[in-house]
Amino acid sequence: TGLSSGQRVVTIQKGLLHRVRGSHITLWCRVSGYQGPAEQNFQWSIYLPSAPEREVQIVSTADPSFPYAIYTQRVRSREIYVERLQGDAARLHITELQDRDAGEYECHTPTTDERYFGSYSAKTNLSVIEDTLSVSMESQALTRAEGDSVELTCEVSKSTSQHTHLSIGWYHLQGVGDSNAEEILTLSKDFVLRPGASYTQRFLMGDVRLDKVGNTTYKLSIRAVKPSDQGQLYCEAAEWIEDPDETWKDISRKRTEKMSLTVTSLGKDLHVTITAAESSLSEGDTLQLNCSVGAQNNRDRLFQVVWLLNSTEVATVGPSGALIWKQKFEERARRGQLQAFKQSDSVYVLIVHEVGLMDQGVYSCSVSEVEKAPGEFQSIQTKLSSDLQVNVKPIGYSMHLSMTTSTAQIVAGDALIFLCEVQGTTNPLSVRWWHLQQHQGPPALVASMERDGSLTLGSAYQDPGAQGSIRLKKTGSSTFTLVISNTVPSNSGSYRCEVVEWSRGKSWTQAEETLVTVSPLDLGLSAMLISRTASVKHAQSFELFCQLSASYALEGMPVSVTWQFHSKQHAEDYQELVRVLPSGMVAWGTAQPHFLKKTQLTKAASSSRLLIHGATADDEGTYRCEVGVWSRSSPPQGQPAAVVKSNAVGIKVSLPESKLQVATKESSMEVAPSTHATIECRIMFAQKNALLAITWYFLPPPPAHATPLQIVRANYSNILEYGAEFSSLTQRSRFQSQRVSSDAFRLQILSTNHGDQGSYYCVVEEWLWLADDWYKLGEGESGRTALEFKLSGKHLDVGKANGSISVREGAEATVGCLVRGARSPASHVSAIWFHGPERSGARPLLHLHRDGSVEYAQGSRAGRLQLRRPAAGDLSLTLRGVEAGDAGVYYCQVQEWQPGGEGEPWALRASARSGYTKLATLPPESTVLSRICSSPPLLNFILYLPLVFIILLAIAGFYCYFRKVRK
């Protein structure tokens, strides 16, 4: 619909199609409206019901590597092939349909057009159903005189759930080979009788008929047989189904065994022939001999028939039908073992039940035509048949047993197929299959089949998952097949076929044995990863090869290959890059998505190749491959039966060399308090297309801090990130980084104060865009710039004595900071308290500004800190509720500020640092005495105790007094 004459159109056989398992099926596909060469290519795929969204490639007219692994062997053996009908039409053949072939088939034609226009594929559905058609006919040998009638019956049945029709036909063979078969009469699928060319006239005259005489029984009647009817006859039935395109298709066709028909010609002389249904017998079988008399007008003539064995008379059937046995055969005839009778005007029968060795020899029949004379019959003529040799084999000696196997060495999961064929007997047979593992004790019964066809599985084979799935069947009358599917290594060993022949209450046994080996899938399984280079330059391509080997052939085995990667930038274990499943489907991992767009992947039966284009730093790391193998007999689902990991191969990606140079000259500068300061960072050389990131660091003067503190970082996108000590709103507004030219950065410090004294430097990073991301090529560090304050030279007297105190946790501690000497009444004092584990690692704890406001450092102990009398020059710090984390070194930095003239800012006139106080914490007390001392009511109560406690009371009082003195 909606296609113009210039559009490509692909059409496929209309579905849903129903076809029986084991049959040869075809699907046609055509393409029209195409451009390009007259010969178009066709690609066939299937979408299985278990995964309707996943395409599984089957066969292509252009690409031999097109089939997925599960179809490779079937395509190579031409079990599946494409027949080209003409340049733009083809037909898919599946010579032996399997259950797994059911699904939605797609025919795709690769484009040869200048542009995409139209449809390039078409789909149809195929359903695989069971073959339920059954055809049978009694196997027999008939002899008829010319002009006699013959009737044959054929049993035909089906149980297909779909609506189907049957056709039944009879065929005649005179020569050798089925190609010479001649149609006698057929009942078509449309219920129309259709005679063969040679039988049309006789059908119209009513001499040839086909009738349905029961639900499943069809009878062929031939009246007045002719010599041309002699030969072999068989019945053939076909089951037909109507396809969606309203055409009928025969989905199953079967024929019966052949029966023989002998027609004796009529003439003036007698024609005598002797035949047997079976001339080679075993003891206990039944022998039936037919003596056919060919003569004109048999009904009006009288015959006497004598049966002979080795030229010795056995019995005589007289003209009136009277039967006379020779003396040596009378006893057997009375027991019913021998029978002789006239079956028709032209056929005489001799039957020997339970033949013995004495019954073998040369049989013949003598026929005499007689006429009735007064008181007796008078012979007119006598004819002797040709000799017929009948052989009788002793039971138990005629049976010959042979055992074969599909292969003596397989891998786990493959099927073991054993064939046990019996020749030389038609007696009932039973069979037992035994399994003997090396050094594992007596043989174990696998399965048995009795004479009546009943099956029994051995105890070790009741569970299909333990020793594989067992199937035992009988093909024909004397061939037994044992199939062990889904084999495991424990199926290795010797298998014995034991056949028992039964006759007249006796049995004879023969056995054959063969040795098989079932190798585990991990036997000799290994994977080796190879790389042509271990180091690649940025943006170059590199490839890795995963070579798989095993002690068995990997061709046709379901194999998955998983490529794994361990990045140097992450501490995690190997991450999955990509996995190629046995079906050929590719599944990409989510941990490293950047590989998806630049990786090329190929997979063969025993190798896989990973080609990565445009290497980047993210590709640097360690690679390996993991190979999983499933058995051939089951779909590759879940975890593989065997897994092996390859060696690891490291790949290093070299980035372009950095050319960055930063000025490293040391410098110093002196500024007045509350003024602005500018620190410069100059770039001597950088690549033109590179972006620069800069980080400013501050190193306080010793011994305050030995570790540089990050002030602010401006990345290559000029996004600012302040360090922890400079992240407050006040600090962010005072410290500002800016780029003033292509080769110069500046750090502006506004309203400098005493805490800004120290060294400043920058670290510059060079970043370059490479293929897919920004990469850091290198960095350079500038020289240090020392910042110092110009002071008036006035001395500020602050206590310099060092000391140490010990305080129990939970108690209160005070560290001193006292400003001595006279100060101008107009001056103000500011102070910064520092705390750290050691002198060199101290950080600000609180800041007392000159206006009397207090600023606490982030995360400090603000609720437990108190300054004593700042206005009086006593800047001592009290810590309430001392904790273990309060231990360390404390000191203060004090500044004296003088007001400037009218309109001028305050000026720093002097600065001094106090001595160091080391605080040690002690665990809290929990003794009885300490509790008594801390509870006056309890102490008063003790005073009233008897004299016996006076000594204890005195000790307690002395202890309390001692503690008070210490405080």
Side-chain angles (χ1 to χ4, degrees), residues 150-156 166-171 183-189 191-196 199 202-204 206-214 216-223 233-237:
V150 65
E151 292 183 349
L152 303 174
T153 58
C154 181
E155 296 288 334
V156 181
L166 290 176
S167 64
I168 298 93
W170 292 87
Y171 294 85
E183 182 182 15
I184 301 174
L185 186 59
T186 297
L187 176 63
S188 73
K189 65 181 185 302
F191 313 107
V192 175
L193 287 171
R194 184 183 64 239
Y199 289 86
R202 297 168 69 184
F203 169 73
L204 295 175
D207 288 343
V208 178
R209 293 175 51 87
L210 195 158
D211 300 291
K212 185 176 182 180
V213 296
T216 61
T217 306
Y218 298 82
K219 182 175 71 174
L220 174 70
S221 303
I222 303 177
R223 189 169 61 188
L233 285 77
Y234 63 88
C235 168
E236 181 178 273

Side-chain angles (χ1 to χ4, degrees), residues 532-570:
R532 293 195 174 120
T533 179
S535 179
V536 296
K537 293 183 178 180
H538 188 275
Q540 284 187 336
S541 299
F542 65 94
E543 58 185 355
L544 301 166
F545 296 91
C546 182
Q547 298 287 349
L548 176 63
S549 61
S551 60
Y552 50 87
L554 290 167
E555 190 73 26
M557 296 294 295
V559 175
S560 70
V561 178
T562 302
W563 288 92
Q564 299 174 338
F565 173 64
H566 184 206
S567 173
K568 292 183 63 177
Q569 302 175 5
H570 302 90

Side-chain angles (χ1 to χ4, degrees), residues 46-109:
I46 186 173
Y47 297 83
L48 299 173
S50 58
E53 302 299 325
R54 185 178 68 192
E55 178 187 7
V56 181
Q57 298 175 180
I58 301 176
V59 66
S60 168
T61 59
D63 183 6
S65 65
F66 182 78
Y68 281 179
I70 59 174
Y71 286 101
T72 301
Q73 186 59 37
R74 297 176 69 186
V75 172
R76 287 181 178 174
S77 64
R78 286 193 63 80
E79 181 183 336
I80 298 177
Y81 65 93
V82 177
E83 173 194 7
R84 187 178 287 281
L85 303 177
Q86 55 190 44
D88 54 6
R91 185 157 49 199
L92 173 69
H93 287 256
I94 302 178
T95 59
E96 187 174 353
L97 193 64
Q98 302 178 13
D99 287 334
R100 60 175 176 167
D101 294 327
E104 184 180 39
Y105 284 76
E106 180 180 40
C107 173
H108 175 74
T109 60

Side-chain angles (χ1 to χ4, degrees), residues 179-336:
S179 61
N180 297 320
E182 179 184 20
E183 182 182 15
I184 301 174
L185 186 59
T186 297
L187 176 63
S188 73
K189 65 181 185 302
D190 303 318
F191 313 107
V192 175
L193 287 171
R194 184 183 64 239
S198 301
Y199 289 86
T200 302
Q201 187 62 35
R202 297 168 69 184
F203 169 73
L204 295 175
M205 296 175 60
D207 288 343
V208 178
R209 293 175 51 87
L210 195 158
D211 300 291
K212 185 176 182 180
V213 296
N215 290 333
T216 61
T217 306
Y218 298 82
K219 182 175 71 174
L220 174 70
S221 303
I222 303 177
R223 189 169 61 188
V225 295
K226 299 179 179 181
S228 60
D229 296 327
Q230 180 169 295
Q232 293 179 311
L233 285 77
Y234 63 88
C235 168
E236 181 178 273
E239 185 175 7
W240 299 76
I241 192 168
E242 187 177 18
D243 284 343
D245 60 1
E246 298 183 354
T247 62
W248 285 85
K249 170 65 179 173
D250 54 330
I251 59 175
S252 180
R253 187 175 292 271
K254 295 181 180 178
R255 64 176 59 172
T256 65
E257 296 291 329
K258 302 178 183 69
M259 57 81 59
S260 66
L261 174 64
T262 302
V263 179
T264 57
S265 300
L266 297 177
K268 294 182 179 180
D269 295 332
L270 293 177
H271 297 278
V272 179
T273 58
I274 184 170
T275 58
E278 182 62 54
S279 61
S280 182
L281 306 170
S282 298
E283 285 185 282
D285 290 346
T286 298
L287 171 65
Q288 178 177 331
L289 300 172
N290 293 344
C291 184
S292 301
V293 181
Q296 292 182 342
N297 302 319
N298 284 30
R299 297 178 183 178
D300 302 329
R301 301 166 72 175
L302 300 176
F303 301 100
Q304 176 177 286
V305 177
V306 179
W307 289 98
L308 305 169
L309 171 59
N310 297 326
S311 301
T312 301
E313 289 189 24
V314 176
T316 301
V317 180
S320 61
L323 175 61
I324 302 174
W325 293 99
K326 288 302 179 179
Q327 184 176 2
K328 62 181 296 186
F329 297 100
E330 286 180 347
E331 180 61 30
R332 294 179 66 187
R334 279 196 298 269
R335 295 200 302 267

Side-chain angles (χ1 to χ4, degrees), residues 491-502:
N491 290 126
S492 298
S494 295
Y495 286 81
R496 185 166 71 235
C497 171
E498 189 177 275
V499 177
V500 182
E501 180 183 7
W502 300 83

